[in-house]
Amino acid sequence: QPFNLEKIKSSVMRACGKAEEQPVLTLTRRIEQKILARKQNPIKTTTIGKIVLQELRRFDKMAYVRFATIHKGIADTKLLEKELELIA
């Protein structure tokens, strides 16, 4: 599946919830720049997910948790607790 900035932007916007749009767009641009800097073609979705998580962790911890639960497939409360400990 080719790199799709719109899909990333949509996922980040959903994870950020009601955050102001401009900072989220800035975040999305920063994620895009990091992805393009990798100079990998094609780039793995797991790599994209790691970059998004890294940036979300700095931007908004709740957005990080929302995205991580989907990206990492966290369904177990123990795994969620472990993830929360990582950002605490």
Side-chain angles (χ1 to χ4, degrees):
Q1 184 174 11
F3 166 64
N4 183 340
L5 181 61
E6 287 304 313
K7 187 173 178 182
I8 294 170
K9 188 186 300 184
S10 171
S11 296
V12 169
M13 294 286 264
R14 262 193 316 253
C16 291
K18 296 181 181 180
E20 291 185 32
E21 187 175 356
Q22 193 55 47
V24 175
L25 292 175
T26 301
L27 171 67
T28 305
R29 279 193 291 276
R30 190 167 52 241
I31 291 168
E32 178 186 23
Q33 290 169 350
K34 285 193 170 203
I35 291 168
L36 294 175
R38 294 274 175 142
K39 297 181 181 174
Q40 290 176 300
N41 194 10
I43 187 166
K44 294 181 181 180
T45 56
T46 54
T47 303
I48 293 171
K50 287 178 185 178
I51 292 170
V52 173
L53 284 169
Q54 183 181 49
E55 292 301 316
L56 281 174
R57 178 184 264 167
R58 291 185 196 129
F59 180 76
D60 181 325
K61 292 191 185 326
M62 274 309 300
Y64 170 88
V65 171
R66 285 186 200 109
F67 189 86
T69 56
I70 302 300
H71 176 70
K72 294 183 176 184
I74 299 172
D76 180 27
T77 55
K78 295 285 185 202
L79 293 174
L80 182 59
E81 286 175 14
K82 190 174 179 181
E83 199 65 39
L84 290 170
E85 288 173 7
L86 289 174
I87 63 170

